[in-house]
Structures are given as structure tokens and as C-alpha cells.
Amino acid sequence: MHHMDQREQRDDSTSIILELSHLVCASLDRDEVFARMLDAVRRLSGAEIASLMLLDPQQQVLRMVAADGLAPELFDHCQLRLGEGIAGWVALYGQPVHVAQAGADPRFLPLVTPNDATLLCLPLRVRGQTLGVLSLVRQHSKGLFRAAVVQAVEIAANQVALALDSGTAASNNQRMYVDAQMRTSQFQLLHQFSARLNSFHEVGPLLDEAAYLLHHTFGYYQVLIGLVEGENLVAKTGYGVLTRADAWFFQQRFSLYVGLAGYVARTGETMLVNDVRTDTLYVALPELPATAAELLVAIKIEEQIFGIIIIESTQTDAFSRYDAQLVEALAGQTALRLAYLACQTELRRSTELLTQSERLRTLGELASGMAHDFNNLLTGILGHTQLLLNEELPNQLLTDLRVIERAAIDGAATVRRLQNFAQTSRALPSEEVDLNEVLSESLAITRPRWRDYPQSRGITITIRHEMANLPMIAGDGPALRDLATNLILNAIDALATGGELTLRTALIEPKRSPLSEISVLLEVRDNGIGMSSEVRSRIFTPFFTTKGLDGTGMGMTMVFGIVQSHRGQIDVISAPQQGTSVRIYLPVRSAQPREASRMSQPSQTVAHTILVVDDDDAVRQVLVRQLERLGHRIVGVQNGAEALHRLADQRFSILCTDLGMPGMSGWDLITHARILVEDLKVILVTGWGEQLSIEEARDRGADVVLAKPFEARRLQQVVAELVGEQ
């Protein structure tokens, strides 16, 4: 009878193992195959619980995927590290474990197996590779499983391993097929993106489309795109946790010398970091605390880096080299379009500059003509006033004359500013200028506008300084102060309800400068109301203003002219409700050393015979009377022809002539006078002011230029300099 029972058990075992072998080739759902296998193994062994754990070779983790005799909630999320617990040890070493008291084994971890249970744990191996672990549990230990049962279960375990291997192969094939379909779909989308590139005429929509494609089509958790601006990376767009709606995040500036993003933006090297905890360069963003892996790709063409694409994942080991290649392909297409848009922008800017220069030239010619006439008028007023101040007059009258003198001098300064519109023929500014000091002085001048007046209305304007160490440059200090003051006042006007005004300077290397040479950057930036593209395109147009009666429309025109006179470039970046940034690039040139003044006031005035030529009676009378007061012998005539007759008949040591005269110009008179009198000293008196450089005047025969209107002491100084040269 006993032998008959054993034979029946063997027949049952054979039947169950045959059943398992059929499951190896069954085309059933994976979970159903697992369930049937565990049911068969439990019947074969007489165990109360049969469970299956599969090995994740990348994570080195065993995860329970099926159990017979346990409720699902008891084994869901049950996992062990390789080598952990009895099952982990079996998977690591590929050896079975059979114990009568599981809790007595030092490797035991109380997950789903009771302490007093019998445990048989078998590795599932195919071709020397461990796929998982099969565990059998018999509660309230009745001793070890019988040897025949163990042998039958080992055969069953081999069938389970074969089923797993077959399923893995089929799963791999299916996965490869799905991957191939997905990659084909992605390349088709890349092709469509490439075909659409020509439809993007602005940078913003182009970057939005690239970020949207990566996030929504390829399924990445967070996509960010930033562009390189100077020494910073500026976040421009994104999709995922952060979107364009998060305006507080975008337009933030990140240093190129901080973090993985800065490294990629500097070097152009792709960085694939599948566990950010292991990379010392990684800097976490508070807005993305769940980031576990990061892929960063430069948007570049050869050595030119426009920006970077950053892709974040909440899972480690999320990215493959294929992902990097895919993003690199999209980044390359984006870079090509950015380069094209940059060329188009530069072309438009050059065209606008030519148009603007022509407008300024025309306006400058008009301004210069007006300035010349005003200077002649002011010369008569200032000269006669200073002559009267030398007379014995009542104190009240002297006081009134000094008011007239001050007004005439201030008027002369106003005319000089008007003449700035005709700067095309002027030499490059050569004064030594500290740009940081210029900004600080302009900020001090405008303090009532950005501090006192807003505070009286309960408004706060915060000033931020981002000043770099800069070399001294050659420039026009007063003009640059006017420039900075205009920009600060415009920024204040854009902050009607308060905000932040940033003053920034930087030293820009040639490859990052639009001037293609080492340059200094002066930037005035606000977070105010901004401006539309239409307004931005007209801000340099003379008399264009958005301030109504409060504006003249000449501030930015003067700024433009000052930048041009320094051979610089001005860029304006703005959008409605996104603030405005005005960036001015100036070349770094060394200031020319100043010539030491040769003026020495003689202790006793030596009388000279001076010929004064000017067609304006008031100016001529002022020159004659002021020079006579200095003790010189003066002859005054009103045109060049009469002057040449005098020079032919009489000996003169100094010729003092106007430039613009009817009939014969001052230049022609000087040329003929040099022929008649070889050692004649020439003072060129002109209402064209500083537009005429001393170098040009000397090349054409004049020894010194005296700009109208002039003060009496300046005339005395000029004559003394010429006398000293003799």
C-alpha cells in the first residue's frame, strides 16, 4: 500500500512538472503564467505559500512579482537588495537554502515568512544567469521538506526559469519592436520640426516649440531651455513642473561658472548624469526638488554656444546615450535657426543704424547751423557784458551784468549739447574715464527721482549694483554721464509702482562682444512695464516719445549719438510687462596722454599788431575791444579780401579770423595769408565749436582754435600761448 502511495505521488509530480513544461511555451499573459506556475508548485510541494521574486540586474534588487497563498497587499512593493535576507543571499550566490526554522537562520528577514516556518528557497538560473528566486513556505514547521519533494521542486524550478527566460526573450523582442516604433515616431517628429524651422521668425516661439516637443512628445518630466547672455545663462522657457506661466522663474540669470548648466554652457560638452547625487558639479534647483537624473545638451554650432537644453527626471538611470543623441539632434537644428535669426537681427539692426545715422546727420546739419548762429549771438552778448564788467559801475548794475554773463555761459553749454548731433567729423573722445564712477555719479544726480520722490508716495525702487573691476577707457566723461543719467531716468519712469533697477558693468572678451574686440559693458535694467516691439523700434527716432508732454523725444537720440561717437553699440531688450534692459558696449581704448599746457602768463604784456577779420559786426567789435584792453594794436576788417590788402601793406604778427564768411572763407584767407606772411600766427575763431578738431585746423594752417562764445580770459590765454611759442 505504501509503495502504491509513493507511485501515485510520483505520477502526480510527473503530471505537475508536465503541466509546468506546457506553461513554458504558453502564449498567456505574464501574470497568469506566474499564477499557474505557483499554484502547480504549491500543489507539488504541499507548501502553504509559494512566491516568486525577479532580479532587476540594473538596480540589483529582487522584487516579489507573484505569490500563491498570500493576499496581494501583503507582497506588493516587497523587495530586497541583492545579498539581503535569505532570498537575496540565494540570488547572489546561486545556491538553494532549506531550513526547518527560518527565524533561526542569521540571514532571515521577517517579510512574509513566519519565524517558525520551514523555508525552501531555490535560485532560478538559465545559462549561468540568475533570473530570480522561488520560495516555498510551510507554516508551523513539521521539519524539512522530504528529499523527493525537494528533487521534484528543483525540476519544477528549472521549468519556471525556462518560462522566465522565454518570457524575457519575448518581452525583449516586444520591447525592441516598441522601441523601434517609438524611435521612428521621434525621428518623424524631428523631421517635422526641421521642416517647420523656417516658420519661426522670433527666438521665443522657436524655443517654446523645442521645449514642448521634448516634454509632450518624448515624455520627459521637465524641460528647460536657457540662452547665454554675456557671463550668464538666462532661463527662457520650459515645460513640465515649470512652464512659461511661471514668469517669476524665467528671465532668472545663472552664472556660467556655477553648476552643471554653467559647465555645459561654457564648454559645449553634453552631460548625461543618471544620478545627480554622484556629481559634484550638480546644484539643485529649489523649484525641482525631485530631480534624480539630468541630461544637459548645448545648443551650438561648432564653437559658438547659444544656450543649453536641460532635461530632468525623477528616476535615476533615466537617460541613455540614445536620449542624448536625440536631444543633440534637436539642439543642432535649433542652433541653426538661432544663428539665422541672429544674422537677420544683425542685418535689420545695421539697416536701422544706417537709417538712423542718416536721420541724425540731417538733424545734425540743422542743429549745427542753428548752433553757429547762436554762438555768434552769444559771443556778442558775453563779450560786451565782460567789457562792461571791467568798467566802474554801480554795484547793482554789476550784479545784473553778472547774471547776464552767467546766462550767456549757460547758453553756450546748451548750444554745445545741441552740437552733439553733428559729431560725425569729431575725433574719438580721448579723456580717461572710469565707467563705474560715471554710473555712481549719475545715480547720485538722479537720487531725488529714484528715492526721495517715490518714498514720499509710498513707493520703493530698489537699486542693485553689479559692478565689475574695469580698466580706465578713453571716452567723453560728461557725455557718458549724460548717457547714464538718461537711461536711469527712463528706467525710473518705467517703475511707476516701484520695482528694481539694476546697474551692471562687465569686461567682455572679444568673442562675446558684438564689437569683436575687448569691450566694457554698461547695462541699465529694470523690471518695469517694458515696451512693445513697435515702440522699441522707434526709441532712437528724434522727437519720438511715449511720455506725452512730459517727454522731449530726444533723450535716447542723444544716447545713440554718444554711443556712436565712442564707436560703440547699443542693444535694447524689452517686452511688455517684462522690463527693459539697455546694454551699451564700448571699446577699451587707452586715453591719450594730455599735453602739458604751455601757457605762461607774461609778467608784462608785449604789444602785438593783430588783424581781426569777422563779418559779424558785434563779434568783431568784441574782439577788437578785448584785445585793445590787453594792450595790443588792433585792425578790424569784415571780409577776407580786405584782410589780404591789409596784410600786403602792413606788418601783422597775429591773424584772428572767423571761419564762415561770405566771399572768402577763413580757410582760404589762411592759405593766402601764409603765402604773404611766412611767420604769421593764426587764431581761427569759429561758431562751429568743438566739431572742428585742433588736428584738422593745424593741418589747414591755423595755430589754435577759439570756439565762440569765448570769455575774455580765454582770449587772453590763447594770445599768451602764441606769444610764448615765439
Side-chain angles (χ1 to χ4, degrees), residues 328-349:
E328 285 170 351
L330 186 137
Q333 293 177 345
T334 304
L336 287 172
R337 190 61 185 176
L338 285 175
Y340 172 80
L341 292 177
C343 289
Q344 290 296 103
T345 300
E346 183 62 24
L347 180 61
R348 285 196 299 271
R349 197 187 70 82

Side-chain angles (χ1 to χ4, degrees), residues 260 273-280 282 291-294 312 316:
L260 284 168
V273 182
N274 267 323
D275 188 344
V276 295
R277 296 170 300 179
T278 64
D279 197 298
T280 56
Y282 175 72
T291 296
E294 195 170 50
E312 314 273 1
T316 56

Side-chain angles (χ1 to χ4, degrees), residues 679-701:
D679 58 348
L680 184 68
K681 295 294 180 181
V682 177
I683 301 173
L684 182 65
V685 184
T686 176
W688 299 107
E690 296 178 358
Q691 287 180 275
L692 183 66
S693 69
I694 186 62
E695 290 80 7
E696 180 185 0
R698 286 175 176 171
D699 289 342
R700 302 186 69 168

Side-chain angles (χ1 to χ4, degrees), residues 203-445:
V203 172
L206 170 65
L207 299 183
D208 283 345
E209 180 70 12
Y212 178 88
L213 183 71
L214 286 168
H215 176 67
H216 288 275
T217 303
F218 300 151
Y220 295 130
Y221 148 71
Q222 175 68 56
V223 177
L224 297 171
I225 298 181
L227 294 182
V228 174
E229 294 182 7
E231 298 297 306
N232 293 291
L233 182 68
V234 181
K236 292 295 183 181
T237 190
Y239 277 93
V241 176
L242 295 171
T243 68
R244 282 297 296 271
D246 300 301
W248 55 269
F249 179 81
F250 295 101
Q251 299 304 319
Q252 283 195 75
R253 309 173 74 84
F254 302 92
S255 171
L256 293 187
Y257 299 94
V258 175
L260 284 168
Y263 177 80
V264 173
R266 281 199 330 273
T267 65
E269 179 183 343
T270 294
M271 294 294 290
L272 195 161
V273 182
N274 267 323
D275 188 344
V276 295
R277 296 170 300 179
T278 64
D279 197 298
T280 56
L281 284 179
Y282 175 72
V283 176
L285 283 177
E287 298 81 7
L288 298 170
T291 296
E294 195 170 50
L295 173 61
L296 304 96
V297 175
I299 303 172
K300 66 176 182 176
I301 297 177
E302 296 180 350
E303 298 302 316
Q304 184 178 9
I305 301 172
F306 296 95
I308 65 170
I309 297 173
I310 306 173
I311 299 174
E312 314 273 1
S313 174
T314 57
Q315 300 295 323
T316 56
D317 297 307
F319 302 115
S320 67
R321 186 58 208 166
Y322 182 85
D323 293 308
Q325 292 169 350
L326 182 71
V327 179
E328 285 170 351
L330 186 137
Q333 293 177 345
T334 304
L336 287 172
R337 190 61 185 176
L338 285 175
Y340 172 80
L341 292 177
C343 289
Q344 290 296 103
T345 300
E346 183 62 24
L347 180 61
R348 285 196 299 271
R349 197 187 70 82
S350 298
T351 303
E352 290 168 0
L353 282 176
L354 288 173
T355 303
Q356 187 70 12
S357 296
E358 184 61 26
R359 288 174 181 165
L360 285 179
R361 187 187 65 79
T362 303
L363 184 60
E365 290 174 355
L366 175 63
S368 295
M370 294 171 60
H372 177 270
D373 294 340
F374 274 121
N375 280 334
N376 279 337
L377 292 172
L378 290 169
T379 300
I381 295 170
L382 180 61
H384 283 97
T385 300
Q386 290 183 334
L387 286 169
L388 287 171
L389 284 169
N390 288 318
E391 302 293 333
E392 294 291 333
L393 296 172
N395 288 337
Q396 183 58 49
L397 188 55
L398 289 173
T399 300
D400 292 341
L401 287 171
R402 289 192 181 95
V403 172
I404 296 173
E405 178 189 38
R406 182 71 262 168
I409 293 172
D410 289 345
T414 301
V415 172
R416 278 195 297 274
R417 285 196 293 273
L418 188 63
Q419 286 177 311
N420 285 337
F421 289 110
Q423 297 186 54
T424 53
S425 64
R426 293 182 64 186
L428 283 171
S430 57
E431 176 188 345
E432 196 173 61
V433 176
D434 181 338
L435 204 57
N436 287 333
E437 185 177 334
V438 164
L439 270 181
S440 298
E441 291 172 347
S442 298
L443 192 63
I445 291 170

Side-chain angles (χ1 to χ4, degrees), residues 626-658:
Q626 287 184 341
L627 289 169
E628 284 177 341
R629 286 187 64 85
L630 295 175
H632 302 293
R633 298 179 295 275
I634 309 301
V635 175
V637 298
Q638 65 179 357
N639 58 61
E642 189 176 351
L644 290 176
H645 285 299
R646 292 283 189 167
L647 286 170
D649 296 338
Q650 187 176 347
R651 175 73 179 177
F652 292 94
S653 55
I654 298 175
L655 169 64
C656 184
T657 178
D658 187 22

